[in-house]
Amino acid sequence: MPTIQIRTEIPGPKSRALMARREAAVPRGPAHATPIFAARAEGAVIEDVDGNRYIDFAGGIGCLNFGHRAPRVLSAVRDQLDKFLHVCFSVTPYESYIAVAEKLNALTPGRFAKKTLLVNSGAEAVENAIKIARAFTKRSAVICFEDAFHGRTLLAMSLTSKTHPYKAGFEPFASDVYRIPFAYPYRNAPGTSAEEFAHLLEDAFKRVVAAESVAAVIVEPVLGEGGFIVPPKDYYRLLQEICRKHGILFIADEVQSGIGRTGKWFASEHFGIEPDLITSAKSLGGGFPLAAVTGRAEIMDASGIGSLGGTFGGNPVSCAAALAALETIEKDGLLARSIAIGKRFEERARAWQRKWPLIGEVRGLGGMCAVELVRDTQTREPADTETKEIARFCYEHGLITITAGTLNNVMRILVPLVVTDEQFDEGLGVLEAAIAAVAERKHAAMSHA
Ligand SMILES: Cc1ncc(COP(=O)(O)O)c(C=O)c1O
């Protein structure tokens, strides 16, 4: 049976009926990238309620690096179901929470003593990382970046850059948050060096907020929602040096880039840095909600007993799934697979770029890869409606994708790393057909004008 199999028009009748119920019962706030409803999933393939099959390039937004229903995860979860579901780590602790903490303490970069706090979501991890940094430094200001995404809760949203749809109407934001430009060479002064970009931080200490008031700088090593932007190699080393000089903590938000996505456990490793605190989530939980803050032991212990945590943080089922997910990435060679996926994507995407000026930039780190789409390679006008059309073409032809970018013009790949070469090529074939349809229609329209 081929991986892609379309039985009905998309969306099919069952998905359409569910969408009508969704519209009546669920607010508009939570968006959906596709109008199709999932029935089951396996590996890198999703089947919808109408029996249509899709290759999944989204992985639930990067939460399934080890694949849908990874066998080790299923078996660990079944074992846990037979023992206990929830007792609350703050009431009756259990071993699996400690085992996840030990594992993250060992896997995160930095050869120093570490401790890990478990929570429920990426936003909660970000909130806690800032709380911990403030408690340790006894300072309040936080510096974040343009094009960053850190979540939707009050402080995380305040750290997030993009106004629509994430911030508009939700003012006032949390105070003492300051934003500087990110090293995004394609758009922010092309040709700017890592040193010049890093210097913007020193400059902010003169113009925006005094260094001695700053608790932490928080940054995604590869910007996720902001468009899979990879800064120059030396950028973070330079930023971290500046932070150290001023007693400021360096927090790497690895919610999207961590847990093997870029071909290393954490993207920070590609840049040779050792962040003071690292947040992880998404693929950490094996498909269940789980997030973490991992950091230097003395920093993590700065806040008092009872100051951190929450009812469900480090839920036993999530912990069991997490341990099995991490084992799967390790034993099944998924870090190397991520690098191979990145290479396969890059080769194909470079050929698209040679053919169609719609592809402005091809970029990525391992299996965290993307293309940025533009109307004109000179002006770099963002091709946002075209990006939307491409995503639509994809799901109508059996490929689930998600877009990204502050300017809504990036197609990003977060495919489960267990995808086979055949499935990946098939998915890339659909993406290529989508880009071709949009690029050639634009070309035809221009030649008739
Ligand atoms: C880098 C980063 N930080 C934080 C978050 C927020 O995570 P969550 O949606 O689990 O709250 C996300 C989500 O996409 C993210 O990509």
Side-chain angles (χ1 to χ4, degrees), residues 86-384:
H86 174 72
V87 288
C88 187
F89 190 74
S90 306
V91 179
T92 322
Y94 39 89
E95 187 186 355
S96 56
Y97 185 120
I98 301 166
V100 173
E102 288 169 343
K103 195 79 198 160
L104 287 173
N105 295 342
L107 292 176
T108 45
R111 276 152 306 181
F112 38 77
K114 294 184 212 130
K115 292 192 176 183
T116 289
L117 166 76
L118 297 182
V119 290
N120 300 291
S121 68
E124 208 186 331
V126 166
E127 299 264 346
N128 277 282
I130 302 295
K131 275 174 69 174
I132 293 165
R134 285 175 167 165
F136 179 77
T137 58
K138 303 196 170 39
R139 303 173 178 182
S140 61
V142 181
I143 293 185
C144 56
F145 291 82
E146 287 175 5
D147 300 307
F149 183 88
H150 295 291
R152 290 177 169 87
T153 54
L154 180 61
L155 178 52
M157 171 184 67
S158 306
L159 295 166
T160 289
S161 173
K162 190 171 176 173
T163 53
H164 292 274
Y166 302 130
K167 300 174 79 166
F170 296 130
E171 301 85 353
F173 305 125
S175 59
D176 243 358
V177 168
Y178 305 91
R179 191 176 309 284
I180 61 172
F182 184 70
Y184 180 4
Y186 185 64
R187 288 205 175 269
N188 294 346
T192 306
S193 67
E195 286 78 7
E196 286 164 324
F197 276 124
H199 183 73
L200 296 175
L201 178 58
E202 286 280 17
D203 203 47
F205 298 151
K206 297 189 190 100
R207 293 195 154 91
V208 183
V209 59
E212 63 272 24
S213 302
V214 180
V217 165
I218 182 165
V219 67
E220 301 156 82
V222 177
L223 299 199
E225 305 300 300
F228 282 27
I229 302 157
V230 188
K233 181 98 171 76
D234 287 338
Y235 180 56
Y236 291 126
R237 190 183 48 73
L238 296 165
L239 279 186
Q240 200 172 21
E241 272 170 20
I242 297 171
C243 287
R244 292 229 166 108
K245 192 167 87 189
H246 295 286
I248 295 167
L249 300 186
F250 186 90
I251 305 174
D253 180 356
E254 294 247 21
V255 165
Q256 194 156 159
S257 59
I259 317 294
R261 174 44 51 187
T262 67
K264 301 222 183 250
W265 281 106
F266 291 91
S268 295
E269 296 169 65
H270 288 282
F271 299 93
I273 51 159
E274 297 181 346
D276 300 301
L277 297 170
I278 293 185
T279 54
S280 52
K282 292 198 183 277
S283 281
L284 172 64
F288 288 81
L290 187 67
V293 185
T294 303
R296 288 179 184 274
E298 69 276 18
I299 298 173
M300 293 297 293
D301 272 332
S303 74
I305 295 172
S307 61
L308 306 175
T311 308
F312 277 110
N315 175 268
V317 184
S318 300
C319 285
L323 291 169
L326 296 173
E327 189 184 339
T328 300
I329 294 173
E330 206 159 10
K331 295 214 167 129
D332 293 355
L334 296 183
L335 298 185
R337 180 69 186 141
S338 165
I339 300 288
I341 284 172
K343 281 206 179 107
R344 219 175 171 88
F345 175 79
E346 189 181 347
E347 250 168 52
R348 196 82 180 250
R350 294 247 174 256
W352 301 340
Q353 193 177 29
R354 285 192 292 275
K355 208 154 152 195
W356 297 301
L358 182 61
I359 308 288
E361 189 174 54
V362 176
R363 57 181 181 243
L365 209 46
M368 187 168 185
C369 35
V371 285
E372 175 158 351
L373 306 175
V374 291
R375 298 211 173 107
D376 180 316
T377 46
Q378 293 306 310
T379 64
R380 301 185 177 182
E381 182 188 349
D384 52 358

